[in-house]
Amino acid sequence: MKSLNSIVMSGKEVLPLIEGGKGIAVSSGESSGAWAAAGGVATFSGVNADSYDENGQIIPQVYHGRTRRERHDELVAYGIQGGIAQAQIAHEISNGQGAIHMNVLWEMGGAERILHGVLEGARGLIDGITCGAGMPYRVAQIAADYQIHYYPIISSARAFRALWKRAYHKFADWLGGVVYEDPWLAGGHNGLSNSEDAMVPEDPYPRVASLRTLMNEMGLHNVPIIMAGGVWHIQDWEHWLDNPEIGPITFQFGTRPLLTKESPISDAWKKKLLTLKKGDVFLNKFSPTGFWSSAVRNEFLEELKGRSDRQVAFVTSPIGEHSEAFSFGARKREIYLTPADKANAEKWVAQGYTSGLKTPDSTMIFVEPEKMAEIRKDQVDCMGCLSQCSFSNWAEGETGNTGRKADPRSFCIQKTLQDVIHSENVDNNLMFAGHGAYRFATDPFYADGFVPTVKELIDRIMTGK
């Protein structure tokens, strides 16, 4: 295999290996500090990061505000406190090696406030910001204000063109790299556009080559592209190295660092990763963000699928094929269904799915009473963890809502991501992973359940494997 040469990123000479930022607390100061100490580019998650009390115990993120707005302010305060704490841990563990980045989601609640708060409170500890999930126009200005580099996460040349024209051309000196995240293979939320088919993956090579052509036109010949999503063995990407069509290239690993000794995920999660088969990670549209996302097939996702499957279109007065009256709930409210849908609804009620919940699309889903109570409570407890949320109808704007009905087909993403990282419950929570996670079970490096340190993993990757 061709040798992997060091590269300058965020003003530091580093290995061309980047740790993916991942979501809530999954990439911590401890794991990212170890990645930087091994000479790579570390990325801790700045999404509702953990903070600690004077005894080193994680501070539970409990909300006391009576209104969503008050709880949202608490969430922002937690986010700033946790981001600073993780930056300090990563900096200390890195021992001055590598580079340390913070990952944020542009569509997370309070993104700009949290960015300013963490970067102000951790000055000199963070070398760069990676940012995706939306169109992060303003991240360039924020990075320039703090004189650190920014790394937008995009999934097409078209998206980068829009970012460049609107904002990035003004702050070109602080553009550290462009993360191309494969929307069919990456874990977590994916940047699939309406013109792309979620079920028809495209080869990343021509898409990245197109991005490089665009960047060259903009004078960004020496700005590296970071390939993210689907990266496992570097030897699989050897034809990308020293390739003028691709240009300076580095590789981001999101899934493989999950299975390391320093990874903060539970033992149950690590054991689950070792059992996955091809197809166990799949794209779904249940996220309250509105984005597609990739997660491990488990009871949590199967329950969400069941909700959507038990769904009928309804009207409030008989019209056309919707001729059959159907009563539901304690008040026996009457709606009208097609004959076939009425038969299905009666079947679901007989199976115990006796509670009907209306969606914003003039449909109704059927759930068990306990699930309805859980959904209602989660919607009421919303703390505004997203800039706008389809599940609770929260939005950061002045009105405080999206203007649409809350959608019971989705879920509280803050609740489940906090629970999956802070408990052993991996079956009944959302568990993000890249589509290559099945390779843990077949890669001889992980034989007999071997879990490497971050340093051992990086040494392995540097061999091409």
Side-chain angles (χ1 to χ4, degrees):
M1 194 193 83
K2 295 177 183 176
S3 61
L4 281 174
N5 300 317
S6 61
I7 191 169
V8 175
M9 295 183 70
S10 297
K12 297 185 175 182
E13 186 174 347
V14 294
L15 298 176
L17 308 178
I18 292 87
E19 175 192 19
K22 299 182 282 295
I24 290 177
V26 174
S27 183
S28 65
E30 182 178 357
S31 63
S32 57
W35 194 278
V41 179
T43 313
F44 71 87
S45 173
V47 183
N48 303 117
D50 285 335
S51 53
Y52 308 90
D53 62 22
E54 60 275 10
N55 298 316
Q57 299 300 308
I58 292 174
I59 297 173
Q61 295 191 14
V62 179
Y63 297 87
H64 304 283
R66 296 180 62 185
T67 67
R68 287 182 176 182
R69 188 70 64 184
E70 290 172 348
R71 294 193 293 273
H72 178 68
D73 288 341
E74 291 178 74
L75 175 131
V76 170
Y78 279 131
I80 293 171
Q81 184 180 358
I84 293 171
Q86 299 306 323
Q88 291 171 335
I89 293 169
H91 177 75
E92 182 176 346
I93 293 175
S94 72
N95 197 30
Q97 302 300 306
I100 296 172
H101 292 177
M102 177 172 75
N103 180 67
V104 293
L105 308 178
W106 196 245
E107 294 299 327
M108 76 183 192
E112 291 191 52
R113 291 169 63 190
I114 291 170
L115 264 173
H116 281 291
V118 175
L119 293 175
E120 184 65 42
R123 280 187 179 269
L125 306 183
I126 297 171
D127 302 303
I129 307 167
T130 58
C131 187
M135 295 294 281
Y137 296 108
R138 287 180 51 78
V139 73
Q141 172 77 68
I142 294 170
D145 288 346
Y146 291 93
Q147 297 192 325
I148 62 175
H149 291 81
Y150 64 100
Y151 298 79
I153 302 172
I154 54 91
S155 58
S156 69
R158 184 178 63 178
F160 183 70
R161 183 191 295 275
L163 291 165
W164 178 262
K165 285 187 172 182
R166 178 162 174 179
Y168 290 1
H169 71 277
K170 302 175 187 177
F171 307 99
D173 290 347
W174 296 105
L175 178 63
V178 179
V179 183
Y180 172 80
E181 187 173 73
D182 189 300
W184 290 276
L185 295 176
H189 290 105
N190 304 76
L192 283 162
S193 69
N194 292 332
S195 64
E196 293 163 332
D197 190 334
M199 300 301 111
V200 183
E202 295 182 16
D203 181 358
Y205 185 93
R207 293 169 68 93
V208 173
S210 174
L211 174 61
R212 173 55 68 193
T213 298
L214 175 64
M215 291 172 64
N216 288 346
E217 292 172 2
M218 296 167 173
L220 303 174
H221 302 76
N222 297 320
V223 174
I225 292 174
I226 296 105
M227 177 61 211
V231 181
W232 193 271
H233 295 152
I234 295 293
Q235 65 185 12
D236 298 336
W237 305 80
E238 187 172 10
H239 60 296
W240 289 47
L241 302 176
D242 303 322
N243 184 334
E245 286 192 317
I246 299 296
I249 186 75
T250 65
F251 298 93
Q252 179 169 299
F253 295 82
T255 298
R256 289 191 76 174
L258 288 171
L259 197 59
T260 60
K261 287 187 167 60
E262 294 88 346
S263 169
I265 67 173
S266 68
D267 287 341
W269 191 338
K270 292 177 182 178
K271 289 177 182 177
K272 181 76 172 180
L273 290 172
L274 288 165
T275 68
L276 297 180
K277 299 178 178 63
K278 194 168 187 177
D280 282 350
V281 174
F282 72 103
L283 278 163
N284 68 83
K285 202 72 184 291
F286 298 124
S287 172
T289 63
F291 294 121
W292 288 88
S293 67
S294 296
V296 175
R297 190 186 306 274
N298 62 5
E299 292 178 20
F300 180 85
L301 287 184
E302 289 301 315
E303 191 278 324
L304 285 167
K305 182 178 182 299
R307 280 190 224 172
S308 287
D309 289 346
R310 294 187 302 274
Q311 183 171 195
V312 295
F314 72 90
V315 294
T316 54
S317 300
I319 182 172
E321 293 183 355
H322 289 75
S323 58
E324 299 296 312
F326 178 80
S327 299
F328 72 98
R331 298 181 184 179
K332 296 298 178 184
R333 296 171 179 159
E334 194 170 71
I335 57 175
Y336 290 85
L337 309 175
T338 66
D341 281 346
K342 181 178 180 180
N344 282 328
E346 289 174 340
K347 177 184 67 176
W348 296 329
V349 169
Q351 292 171 347
Y353 301 106
T354 56
S355 295
L357 291 168
K358 295 179 180 178
T359 80
D361 300 319
S362 296
T363 64
M364 177 174 290
I365 63 170
F366 290 81
V367 297
E368 296 169 324
E370 297 81 8
K371 180 57 66 174
M372 183 182 77
E374 178 188 335
I375 290 169
R376 292 295 194 215
K377 183 178 187 307
D378 288 347
Q379 290 172 331
V380 168
D381 289 346
C382 174
M383 74 295 290
C385 71
L386 301 172
S387 62
Q388 55 180 3
C389 174
S390 65
F391 176 67
S392 69
N393 94 340
W394 154 269
E396 275 191 74
E398 292 183 8
T399 61
N401 66 76
T402 62
R404 287 170 58 84
K405 292 180 180 178
D407 194 337
R409 293 168 295 188
S410 190
F411 56 93
C412 176
I413 196 165
Q414 172 80 192
K415 172 187 169 184
T416 187
L417 292 182
Q418 287 284 357
D419 193 36
V420 75
I421 187 61
H422 295 120
S423 76
E424 297 282 325
N425 186 354
V426 297
D427 290 323
N428 296 293
N429 281 302
L430 181 66
M431 186 167 56
F432 284 140
H435 289 249
Y438 72 92
R439 299 179 74 165
F440 282 121
T442 58
D443 190 327
F445 184 57
Y446 303 96
D448 300 320
F450 174 68
V451 177
T453 64
V454 165
K455 179 65 166 61
E456 289 171 331
L457 174 59
I458 286 183
D459 287 345
R460 175 74 171 186
I461 291 172
M462 287 296 290
T463 68
K465 298 180 178 181

